Amino acid sequence: MIIIPLFIVISHACSNSANTGWSNNYSKMLITTANSITNVDLNTVCPKIDPAKVPGLPPYQYLSSSSCLGYLGPLGPYGPLSSLGPLSNPFWYPSNYFGQIQLPTNIQQIIQWSQIQYGAPMSKDGPLGYKGPLATTQYYGQQDPGKTLFESNDFAVQLRAFGLWSALGPIGPLGPLGPLGPLGPIGDHGYSVDLNGNYLNGTKIVKTVTIDYDGSSTRTYPLYEFYQSSYAKTIQLDTSFLVESDVCQGDDAYQIGGLPFNQIVTFVLTPLLALDSYSLILQDQFGKVLAQSNADNYIQTIQVNVKMNTKLSVIVHPIFLSTTIGSYRLFVTGSTQYITQYNISGNQIQSN
Ligand SMILES: *[C@@H]1O[C@H](CO)[C@@H](O)[C@H](O)[C@H]1NC(C)=O
Ligand SMILES: *[C@@H]1O[C@H](CO)[C@@H](O)[C@H](O)[C@H]1NC(C)=O
Ligand SMILES: CC(=O)N[C@H]1CO[C@H](CO)[C@@H](O)[C@@H]1O
């Protein structure tokens, strides 16, 4: 007799399906961290995760430290963001590659010309265009293939904002906005790089690129810089960059924010040495701690909805270094003004 009303309450509390009930409310800060995600009670997550719609393993096993959120996963020291991946391999850098084969004309022009070729990385047919995972119709599940994907695969649903595996998803560092995509250091934008990591057109620093979105409108995306940490610590950063740093014992601090639009920002800290561990801390502009990720044996992540013009500090604090000097990469990936809505709730989300 008690169970029945309780059941009704719970089913009412989670009425939205994968592709409904989107919210754009930025009045309260919502936060997930590696700690909150790996301590989640799966029964509280909405839309409900149906184990039959999660391929492979039972859903909770994908939260284990030996799975995708741990050191052996794609965000870790053996994954594509680490020093084993393309960001550390000069062969992937278009300027080096083209430099070696000595093209007769201006490389920048050739690369920029290639962007308008069919299906090229920065064309409307590429990952940033109207058919890509960040297209409104795809991300929000309005049209196929996105619609069917999110209706049939609950792991995919949780790759979107505030989902359990969102750090691995389309608005995180492995997605098209991230460092491995067209906007990053090995991307197709064709800009050269100065010693600090800024992109240059001639002598002018370039921060964004505008691409054809669908043949009738454009989207302006932020470039993804690979900054020198000594430089990054001295400037106000946007939400689209990575920085690599060596640390001994002290903390590193980076100031970000002040952007003129709301967005969801994903922070990922990749240790470059497999035995090292760090704590990732987010503070407001007055030094108040908003979030801290320090889950044992996991890659530290924080995701937060950031209201326009908000200023934040990101602190990297070494917990354990296996050698005298540790080294890490910090990835900061904003969802841009084009993807701002979310519709996942559950006790993995904390609020401030
Ligand atoms: C947005 O969220 C705040 C805090 O949770 C709530 O008070 C407010 O009513 C919400 N606004 C809308 C339009 O839902
Ligand atoms: C580079 O700067 C020049 C001069 O301001 C401008 O005409 C050109 O469009 C710029 N190119 C790119 C790719 O931004
Ligand atoms: C987190 C969130 O915004 N959840 C919403 C999802 O959609 C349902 C309606 O279908 C809302 O009631 C939830 O608040």
Side-chain angles (χ1 to χ4, degrees):
M1 284 298 113
I2 289 167
I3 289 167
I4 292 164
L6 200 64
F7 174 77
I8 290 166
V9 168
I10 288 168
S11 67
H12 269 238
C14 181
S15 60
N16 55 311
S17 67
N19 293 326
T20 60
W22 293 98
S23 164
N24 216 348
N25 191 342
Y26 280 68
S27 66
K28 192 152 74 174
M29 196 175 252
L30 304 174
I31 299 163
T32 62
T33 65
N35 304 59
S36 75
I37 286 170
T38 56
N39 286 324
V40 69
D41 173 355
L42 287 174
N43 294 318
T44 64
V45 177
C46 178
K48 250 171 72 64
I49 300 176
D50 177 354
K53 290 194 196 171
V54 175
L57 301 169
Y60 72 88
Q61 286 202 10
Y62 290 111
L63 295 169
S64 116
S65 63
S66 56
S67 187
C68 50
L69 301 176
Y71 272 56
L72 300 175
L75 303 173
Y78 303 108
L81 301 173
S82 76
S83 40
L84 303 177
L87 296 171
S88 295
N89 186 339
F91 179 78
W92 288 94
Y93 284 76
S95 53
N96 292 352
Y97 180 71
F98 289 116
Q100 278 157 22
I101 59 172
Q102 289 185 348
L103 290 172
T105 45
N106 187 318
I107 297 157
Q108 205 155 319
Q109 276 172 11
I110 291 180
I111 295 173
Q112 275 152 9
W113 169 83
S114 75
Q115 288 163 23
I116 56 167
Q117 301 309 297
Y118 180 77
M122 298 191 87
S123 75
K124 67 180 170 50
D125 300 304
L128 298 168
Y130 76 116
K131 294 189 280 196
L134 300 173
T136 311
T137 55
Q138 296 306 316
Y139 187 87
Y140 296 118
Q142 296 161 355
Q143 268 177 27
D144 275 329
K147 186 169 186 292
T148 304
L149 172 69
F150 295 122
E151 280 168 3
S152 60
N153 186 323
D154 282 350
F155 187 89
V157 167
Q158 297 291 322
L159 290 169
R160 293 185 293 189
F162 298 123
L164 302 176
W165 299 288
S166 187
L168 309 166
I171 60 171
L174 300 170
L177 298 166
L180 307 174
L183 304 166
I186 55 177
D188 199 25
H189 47 76
Y191 291 115
S192 54
V193 182
D194 73 11
L195 290 174
N196 294 321
N198 292 302
Y199 295 114
L200 297 178
N201 175 9
T203 55
K204 231 180 69 202
I205 293 177
V206 193
K207 308 286 289 179
T208 59
V209 286
T210 297
I211 70 156
D212 179 8
Y213 175 62
D214 58 2
S216 58
S217 62
T218 61
R219 276 187 175 187
T220 298
Y221 288 112
L223 289 166
Y224 207 101
E225 292 86 358
F226 188 163
Y227 286 127
Q228 289 292 329
S229 67
S230 54
Y231 174 72
K233 286 174 198 163
T234 64
I235 59 170
Q236 170 150 308
L237 297 151
D238 65 7
T239 51
S240 178
F241 71 92
L242 85 115
V243 58
E244 179 174 323
S245 182
D246 295 329
V247 283
C248 300
Q249 287 154 356
D251 294 356
D252 282 346
Y254 304 95
Q255 315 302 323
I256 67 156
L259 289 162
F261 48 82
N262 297 341
Q263 59 179 328
I264 293 152
V265 183
T266 307
F267 301 87
V268 171
L269 190 92
T270 301
L272 296 182
L273 296 173
L275 294 173
D276 292 356
S277 61
Y278 295 88
S279 169
L280 180 62
I281 302 159
L282 194 64
Q283 296 180 347
D284 71 10
Q285 60 176 316
F286 308 109
K288 180 185 152 204
V289 174
L290 302 170
Q292 179 159 9
S293 182
N294 57 6
D296 259 354
N297 297 318
Y298 288 92
I299 299 305
Q300 307 311 331
T301 64
I302 296 177
Q303 191 169 65
V304 56
N305 59 338
V306 178
K307 202 173 173 168
M308 64 170 86
N309 298 320
T310 305
K311 291 185 179 165
L312 299 167
S313 299
V314 191
I315 317 287
V316 179
H317 172 72
I319 296 177
F320 174 78
L321 301 177
S322 55
T323 56
T324 328
I325 296 180
S327 115
Y328 68 82
R329 285 181 184 162
L330 171 67
F331 298 88
V332 178
T333 314
S335 65
T336 76
Q337 67 269 46
Y338 306 111
I339 299 287
T340 56
Q341 304 187 65
Y342 51 87
N343 191 20
I344 291 179
S345 55
N347 77 348
Q348 81 278 20
I349 305 179
Q350 310 161 335
S351 61
N352 236 306

